[in-house]
Amino acid sequence: MTHTPHQDQPSPDEHFFEELERRRTSALVQCDLAVIEELHAPDYELVTPGGRVFTRAEYIAAIAREPFYVAWEISLLRVRVVGGMAALRYKAKLGFPSGREVLVWHTDTYEQRAGRWQAVWSQATELRPSAQPP
């Protein structure tokens, strides 16, 4: 654990962020807009595997219109925490309503704001079959 420079309390550990990320991704799959709004900072941005950038407002609007994901499986999660910022990187299998599944490296950055942790940036990079281990 690392300590924030302005506080005596230790930063949350890897388990805290794994649970937070599972809560966030579950809300995305379940279209739980209240949790989605709570866990995404006002200046949040998502960069998709195709290179499209969604602002928080665009992302939430897309999720509210129709299901965006049908599954989000997390594996090999790693976390780095420094002060009021955390970076998470993991492999994920994303399922979409079309039936398409995509294996990605997913990276999220979280910041602690007003005493709570919120996602600020997310980026997914698709793993092509040739890039996956046998």
Side-chain angles (χ1 to χ4, degrees), residues 30-86:
Q30 300 299 319
C31 299
D32 186 337
L33 297 178
V35 173
I36 292 168
E37 289 176 1
E38 171 192 339
L39 296 181
H40 292 82
D43 53 341
Y44 174 83
E45 290 182 337
L46 164 68
V47 179
T48 69
R52 181 167 178 201
V53 178
F54 280 90
T55 65
R56 177 184 188 263
E58 292 168 334
Y59 194 37
I60 291 172
I63 292 166
R65 272 193 306 275
E66 59 189 349
F68 203 83
Y69 306 101
V70 295
W72 191 307
E73 298 174 21
I74 296 173
S75 66
L76 302 174
L77 183 96
R78 295 181 63 197
V79 178
R80 295 186 59 98
V81 183
V82 178
M85 184 175 212

Side-chain angles (χ1 to χ4, degrees), residues 46-51 72 94 102 104-107 122-126:
L46 164 68
V47 179
T48 69
W72 191 307
L94 307 178
V102 179
V104 298
W105 274 111
H106 193 80
T107 303
S122 297
Q123 181 166 351
T125 303
E126 185 172 0

